[in-house]
Amino acid sequence: MNRTNFSLGVLIALVGLVMIIAPHQSIRVVVVLLGASAVLNGLYDVITTRTFSTSPLFRRTALIRGLASIVIGLLAICLPLAFAETILNITRYVLAFYMIVAVIIEFVLLFTLPEGSALKKHFVYEALGYAAVAVVLFILKPDSVGPWIIRILGIVILLGGAGYTLYTWKNRTIVVEAENVRDADNSAEKEDGGPHEEN
């Protein structure tokens, strides 16, 4: 199972839950949580994603996106906690713009993968997720859209995060250790009275 994607799914669901419970305080919390998500995703890109392909363009693009994601994520975490509402709104728009850029980079990575790669579906889902988050960040302003619209968006995001978490869990990789296989073979031999010799 991809633990990073699983954690991101849980984090997205948590963002939706915050939007439902406290719509007026949701902007600050959502920006900080998305900043944490960006840092996690950036670390995953730097450590893991760039190893998915031997293409120099793919590796370079994944590394640049990962480093940018870490920087943007740290800013999104620190600035809203340290400064006033104006800085929070600026951070929100910067984060939304980054999500749009991330969608473009996602498709660059997608087209550098070999034909028929199983990872293509993963990158498509990520691109859709980034686009959805960008839209939410652009319109997420309780004073103008009203708390009930924020709550409705929160329900959608909660369901999306829960669905992505479930998808990641159901498509996890199950590893069977060789030692267990040998133990099973030995048990079968013992039940049959030991190894059989061929005539």
Side-chain angles (χ1 to χ4, degrees):
M1 178 177 61
N2 187 326
R3 292 182 180 179
T4 302
N5 286 348
F6 183 82
S7 300
L8 289 176
V10 173
L11 191 59
I12 290 170
L14 183 59
V15 167
L17 187 61
V18 169
M19 292 170 67
I20 295 169
I21 296 173
H24 288 290
Q25 301 297 323
S26 60
I27 294 180
R28 190 179 300 272
V29 177
V30 167
V31 168
V32 171
L33 287 176
L34 287 175
S37 173
V39 171
L40 287 175
N41 199 47
L43 290 171
Y44 182 78
D45 282 344
V46 171
I47 297 170
T48 305
T49 300
R50 67 191 188 96
T51 66
F52 287 166
S53 174
T54 57
S55 166
L57 176 61
F58 182 95
R59 286 173 173 266
R60 186 166 55 251
T61 305
L63 179 62
I64 292 171
R65 187 183 73 166
L67 294 175
S69 183
I70 292 171
V71 172
I72 295 290
L74 289 174
L75 290 174
I77 293 170
C78 298
L79 292 180
L81 295 177
F83 297 99
E85 195 75 17
T86 301
I87 297 297
L88 172 63
N89 285 327
I90 292 173
T91 306
R92 175 166 61 95
Y93 286 121
V94 168
L95 195 56
F97 178 75
Y98 165 73
M99 292 294 171
I100 294 173
V101 174
V103 172
I104 297 171
I105 295 176
E106 203 74 39
F107 282 104
V108 172
L109 295 175
L110 182 67
F111 287 116
T112 57
L113 289 171
E115 194 66 33
S117 173
L119 293 170
K120 288 196 171 187
K121 185 186 291 186
H122 165 78
F123 284 114
V124 170
Y125 285 137
E126 273 199 350
L128 292 174
Y130 284 134
V133 170
V135 170
V136 170
L137 285 171
F138 276 124
I139 66 176
L140 185 61
K141 194 172 182 182
D143 293 338
S144 60
V145 299
W148 283 108
I149 295 179
I150 298 296
R151 286 194 173 99
I152 292 171
L153 286 172
I155 293 172
V156 173
I157 292 172
L158 175 62
L159 293 176
Y164 186 65
T165 303
L166 182 61
Y167 170 81
T168 304
W169 172 259
K170 292 183 70 174
N171 289 274
R172 68 192 186 280
T173 302
I174 300 175
V175 179
V176 179
E177 297 181 2
E179 183 180 351
N180 294 336
V181 175
R182 286 198 299 271
D183 289 344
D185 291 341
N186 291 336
S187 299
E189 288 178 358
K190 288 178 181 179
E191 290 178 0
D192 293 340
H196 298 286
E197 296 182 359
E198 295 183 1
N199 295 327

